[in-house]
Amino acid sequence: MVAPVTQGIPFLGLQVFRGTLRLQRGARTRFRRKLKRRERDYVEGRIDERALLQSVHSLVGHVRQADTYGLRKSFLDSTAIMG
């Protein structure tokens, strides 16, 4: 069955539309959960600052492929990672 173009095509946690990429809901949830986990690991001393930054840059690099400026700004502003 062929789906309408308006539904987009799911690919690697993104929804591909003509002219834009959006992060799927599950990927958005995983992004937030992983960032919170990394922050908690840093605060509790399980990882050092270098490991924290490497992990955050990796996560942000993936979601940055989609139209997620608002998501990244709102979430990173509200955490101690970037503040």
Side-chain angles (χ1 to χ4, degrees):
M1 182 167 124
V2 177
V5 175
T6 57
Q7 289 182 0
I9 300 168
F11 182 72
L12 298 176
L14 302 173
Q15 197 72 17
V16 181
F17 294 93
R18 184 177 177 189
T20 189
L21 294 171
R22 294 188 186 147
L23 202 59
Q24 291 179 323
R25 182 174 300 166
R28 205 171 28 239
T29 302
R30 286 188 300 277
F31 171 72
R32 287 185 172 124
R33 190 179 306 137
K34 286 179 181 181
L35 279 178
K36 287 179 182 180
R37 188 179 315 133
R38 297 304 184 273
E39 183 180 20
R40 187 175 54 243
D41 289 346
Y42 174 70
V43 168
E44 293 174 358
R46 287 193 286 262
I47 60 173
D48 62 359
E49 183 177 359
R50 181 176 179 198
L52 172 69
L53 290 176
Q54 286 176 341
S55 182
V56 169
H57 287 176
S58 173
L59 291 167
V60 170
H62 177 70
V63 300
R64 192 176 194 168
Q65 302 305 311
D67 299 328
T68 58
Y69 177 78
L71 170 73
R72 289 180 282 128
K73 182 167 176 33
S74 69
F75 192 77
L76 293 174
D77 285 350
S78 70
T79 66
I81 294 172
M82 304 310 266

